[in-house]
Amino acid sequence: SVRPLLDGTGVRAPSTDPARVRSHAIGAGRTPLVIPAAELTPAATGAATARVCAQVAAFDDAATCAVRGQASSRSPHFVGFYGLPSEPDRHAVALDWSAPGGAVSLPVAGPTALAGAQAVALRLAVPPNSVGTALDVAVVDGAGRRATLGQVTVDGLPGTMAIPAQWGQEVRVPLAAATAAGLDLGRVTALELTPRGAAGRAWLVDAWGWRAGTPTGPAAPLPRIDIGDLSDVQEGDTGVRTYQLPVTVSGSGTGRVRLFVVSPFTQATSHQVVAVAPGTTRFTVPIPVSGNTRFGSERLHYVVLAKAMQGTVVGGYEGSLGVLNDDPRPAPSVSAVTDRVTEGASLTWRVALSAPADVALSGRLTPQAPAAGAELSTTDVDADWLKSALQVEAAPSRPLSAAGGTLTVTVAPGAREAVIEVKTAADGTAEPAEQVRLSLDWSGQRVDLTGTVTDAP
């Protein structure tokens, strides 16, 4: 009873009025006509151009379908899975034209049986706030006969942060003209789109042969995929250890699932397609872990994700391999570089690690009152440095230890050293030598750093 709400029949629930339905219809009797893929080669004539673009790609990737630099270019069709920067086998066709008169021909992959279909259904997205983007739609059969089916017109959605603008709206043209022209709808070889009107652009998400109603079929048993976890495995000091992350399969049937493995170091993603055969109850995902003697995160997580492709359902779609750090934390040592300067110069100390680490290591420095002598004040140091380093203002002038705030020093991953700097300011006022004392807390190890600032000669 609810199928007509979904299959494009056009039935509406009274509770939806006066809302406008912008999503494409699902279900119905559909046969694939153009499902964009990387190997699809569009042919364009006149002022029209066409390219296959990636629905999911890095934001600065020239191959992406998204309109870069526009907040309103988000699209429900171009959303990545679990935030992955790219995905295979997800493409669209980007159409551009600078004047009427050009056409784009899209070859059909393999024999396409449109016999029995009532229309061609296309999902088209157009730029936000555009009005009246019109395209003539035609098909060509294996004998080279061509028939123009009709014209479709799509208006863009309002371009706001709240509404995804590149939204593929479903439009349909009947196949009556192709039947009248004697085309063999069982051997359609190309879909042609001809822009009408001024310059514009559109994205073809896909195209289908369509007929009303959803075929009734028996419930199909689907194997369910659940990814497991492995925790506290050892990294090792040398070589590569390969761990097998368990995946359980329940239910019956056949299908395919795509598995992604995300590296904790670079966020680089590898993927594979696994075929699930009848009777399969378990398989594993091999994850190689390279050992080293560098300190790293206490626990690294290789994330494994599952996405159903065909004939499967995914339950636990995320699993992880937790790798324990088994290397000691490098010990720091601190030495003075310039710990006695005239005002206007910088006091500097060097933090050196006993060994490089795979992660950034940091310590916090807190200004303390010196054991003896006058203390450096907030107006005796550079105001910009004070704001950036301790996040406090120079005025009113007060001892540095009373200003609050802490200074962070960080040794970058793979590095051995970092410099601690206190930029002083020349004020032209006669003052005695002033002292600064910084207490460095480095993973529970405490070291005091002291420096002296004198008047400029």
Side-chain angles (χ1 to χ4, degrees):
S1 61
V2 302
R3 282 208 315 257
L5 297 172
L6 308 174
D7 65 13
T9 303
V11 173
R12 295 284 301 283
S15 60
T16 64
D17 290 323
R20 288 180 295 168
V21 178
R22 292 294 191 179
S23 62
H24 63 282
I26 62 175
R30 293 174 185 262
T31 52
L33 185 62
V34 175
I35 309 298
E39 59 272 16
L40 179 70
T41 305
T45 62
T49 63
R51 64 182 177 90
V52 175
C53 56
Q55 292 187 10
V56 180
F59 192 68
D60 58 354
D61 191 332
T64 183
C65 297
V67 180
R68 296 185 300 279
Q70 293 185 10
S72 60
S73 67
R74 295 170 301 147
S75 167
H77 309 290
F78 305 155
V79 173
F81 173 60
Y82 201 82
L84 296 179
S86 62
E87 281 188 64
D89 303 334
R90 289 184 59 186
H91 299 86
V93 178
L95 311 171
D96 290 89
W97 59 96
S98 56
V104 173
S105 178
L106 302 171
V108 172
T112 300
L114 291 185
Q118 297 170 293
V120 168
L122 306 95
R123 284 194 291 175
L124 284 170
V126 296
N129 302 311
S130 60
V131 177
T133 298
L135 298 166
D136 286 347
V137 181
V139 290
V140 180
D141 71 3
R145 293 184 292 261
R146 180 183 183 278
T148 299
L149 305 181
Q151 188 175 98
V152 295
T153 302
V154 182
D155 294 334
L157 297 181
T160 69
M161 288 298 294
I163 301 175
Q166 283 174 270
W167 190 302
Q169 303 175 54
E170 180 164 295
V171 289
R172 295 194 291 267
V173 285
L175 283 166
T179 302
L183 268 68
D184 182 356
L185 294 182
R187 295 180 60 235
V188 173
T189 59
L191 172 71
E192 290 187 0
L193 302 175
T194 303
R196 297 302 180 194
R201 70 190 322 178
W203 295 264
L204 176 70
V205 178
D206 48 31
W208 304 79
W210 179 93
R211 60 182 180 275
T214 299
T216 300
L222 300 178
R224 169 176 164 145
I225 310 298
D226 291 277
I227 305 180
D229 297 288
L230 279 179
S231 60
D232 298 344
V233 303
Q234 297 299 309
E235 173 192 64
D237 291 339
T238 59
V240 176
R241 300 184 181 189
T242 299
Y243 293 97
Q244 304 291 333
L245 193 74
V247 181
T248 58
V249 182
S250 55
S252 59
T254 62
R256 295 182 301 148
V257 62
R258 189 183 297 278
L259 300 173
F260 300 86
V261 179
V262 184
S263 167
F265 297 103
T266 63
Q267 301 304 303
T269 303
S270 61
H271 61 87
Q272 60 178 305
V273 176
V274 175
V276 180
T280 301
T281 59
R282 186 181 185 275
F283 61 90
T284 60
V285 182
I287 302 178
V289 176
S290 298
N292 63 39
T293 56
R294 295 185 301 275
F295 177 82
S297 299
E298 291 300 321
R299 184 177 283 103
L300 292 171
H301 289 280
Y302 289 79
V303 177
V304 180
L305 306 168
K307 185 176 182 181
M309 292 185 66
Q310 183 180 39
T312 56
V313 60
V314 175
Y317 67 92
E318 177 187 7
S320 70
L321 174 69
V323 183
L324 285 176
N325 168 66
D326 55 8
D327 301 303
R329 178 184 291 270
S333 61
V334 183
S335 59
V337 179
T338 52
D339 59 354
R340 186 178 183 88
V341 299
T342 57
E343 59 183 18
S346 293
L347 294 162
T348 55
W349 298 266
R350 179 178 290 109
V351 176
L353 298 181
S354 58
D358 281 338
V359 293
L361 295 178
S362 300
R364 297 202 314 170
L365 297 117
T366 305
Q368 304 285 344
E375 182 179 359
L376 206 65
S377 72
T378 56
T379 52
D380 290 323
V381 297
D382 181 84
D384 291 337
W385 174 89
L386 184 67
K387 180 68 174 178
S388 174
L390 298 183
Q391 292 79 51
V392 296
E393 300 291 345
S397 183
R398 57 209 185 275
L400 204 58
S401 60
T406 57
L407 171 66
T408 300
V409 58
T410 300
V411 180
R416 294 283 296 271
E417 296 180 346
V419 173
I420 301 166
E421 181 181 28
V422 176
K423 292 184 178 181
T424 69
D427 56 15
T429 302
E431 298 171 301
E434 295 172 303
Q435 311 296 315
V436 63
R437 176 181 163 215
L438 300 174
S439 178
L440 172 63
D441 182 351
W442 191 282
S443 300
Q445 180 177 342
R446 292 186 178 275
V447 180
D448 275 358
L449 289 64
T450 58
T452 302
V453 180
T454 62
D455 281 354

